[in-house]
Amino acid sequence: MGQFTDRVVVITGGGSGVGKATAALFLREGAQVVIAGRDAAKLAAAAQELQGGDALLFLPTDVTDPQQCRRLIDRATADFGRVDILVNNAGANIKARTCRELTPEVWDMMIRTNLHGAFYCTQAVLPQMLARRDGLIINVVSVAGKRANPLGGAAYVAAKFGMGAFGLVLANEEKDSGIRVSNIYPGEIDTPILEHRPKPVTPEQRAVILKPEDVAQTILFVASLPPRVSIPELIIKPTVQPYW
């Protein structure tokens, strides 16, 4: 019996990186887990690797589509009875990320993926959490949502600032409703998103930055606290990464 036995967790961006690592930890702790992502093949491969059996459901989902987000929550609820924890982890970035390079179409895609998706999934799950007066929403933001460093690019940074603000407002709105909202702001992580950096990341740099498991452990820690405890914001970064 794990500490999350009989708890149901939905994780977006669950096909790789932080999402997959988070799913593995929750499964190990007895939770029923739903992973979602745009790439059906990658999601299926992740599910096979996780070996969650009947405790794991994977559902291809494009979080930029509110109807697909609602279908995700509805399916998780139909299969497992409810959703106790939502981890808004889906995100994306592109190589041509400077203001000079951005187009309206790319800007729109970045905002929809990194910001709108969190809102759509939250909006879909909130009614049942309010009805139970219990629920936890964890937003995996980024230090780019705290510090407007050009490294992340204007669209990504704008979306992540918005995601962080959304989480803080929701937490304050629902502080008396039994709903907790936590924003986690990771620094550099060794995940597939690094492949979209304008300059390739060296093996030496990958060796010293965060691993997906580090952020997953942080998510698990936040989720393990009793209902009377809320962490509005938590920053985790590699020791070698400056923060100012």
Side-chain angles (χ1 to χ4, degrees), residues 34-230:
V34 182
I35 56 173
R38 284 183 295 184
D39 189 326
K42 184 168 71 174
L43 203 61
Q48 185 173 12
E49 180 183 341
L50 289 167
Q51 296 184 337
D54 292 339
L56 177 65
L57 171 69
F58 68 95
L59 188 65
T61 305
D62 182 350
V63 298
T64 69
D65 182 346
Q67 293 184 344
Q68 291 192 40
C69 293
R70 185 163 300 280
R71 183 192 65 176
L72 168 66
I73 299 302
D74 288 347
R75 176 70 186 277
T77 305
D79 280 32
F80 293 136
R82 66 188 184 280
V83 175
D84 298 294
I85 301 169
L86 169 65
V87 181
N88 284 315
N89 172 69
N93 210 339
I94 36 86
K95 287 188 177 182
R97 59 182 66 172
T98 67
C99 289
R100 292 185 181 187
E101 296 171 297
L102 287 170
T103 65
E105 293 76 20
V106 171
W107 173 274
D108 183 63
M109 179 275 291
M110 291 292 291
I111 300 297
R112 287 188 293 116
T113 302
N114 293 292
L115 174 57
H116 292 183
F119 169 72
Y120 295 148
C121 290
T122 299
Q123 187 183 50
V125 79
L126 198 57
Q128 62 170 278
M129 290 183 171
L130 290 171
R132 294 193 307 269
R133 298 187 63 80
D134 179 67
L136 173 62
I137 297 164
I138 298 176
N139 297 318
V140 181
V141 191
S142 168
V143 293
K146 279 288 184 183
R147 300 289 186 264
N149 190 314
L151 178 63
Y156 184 81
V157 169
K160 290 300 186 178
F161 262 79
M163 186 183 189
F166 167 63
L168 291 174
V169 170
L170 180 63
N172 282 302
E173 285 181 351
E174 301 299 344
K175 64 181 179 59
D176 298 319
S177 304
I179 312 301
R180 294 175 294 156
V181 184
S182 293
N183 291 339
I184 296 177
Y185 302 84
E188 291 187 283
I189 317 169
D190 185 10
T191 69
I193 200 171
L194 291 184
E195 297 168 8
H196 300 285
R197 282 277 181 90
K199 295 182 180 179
V201 179
T202 66
E204 291 77 16
Q205 185 178 357
R206 284 181 181 268
V208 296
I209 60 178
L210 298 176
K211 301 300 180 186
E213 294 76 16
D214 303 329
V215 183
Q217 287 282 3
T218 306
I219 292 169
L220 197 76
F221 162 69
V222 169
S224 69
L225 294 169
R228 66 177 179 273
V229 180
S230 174

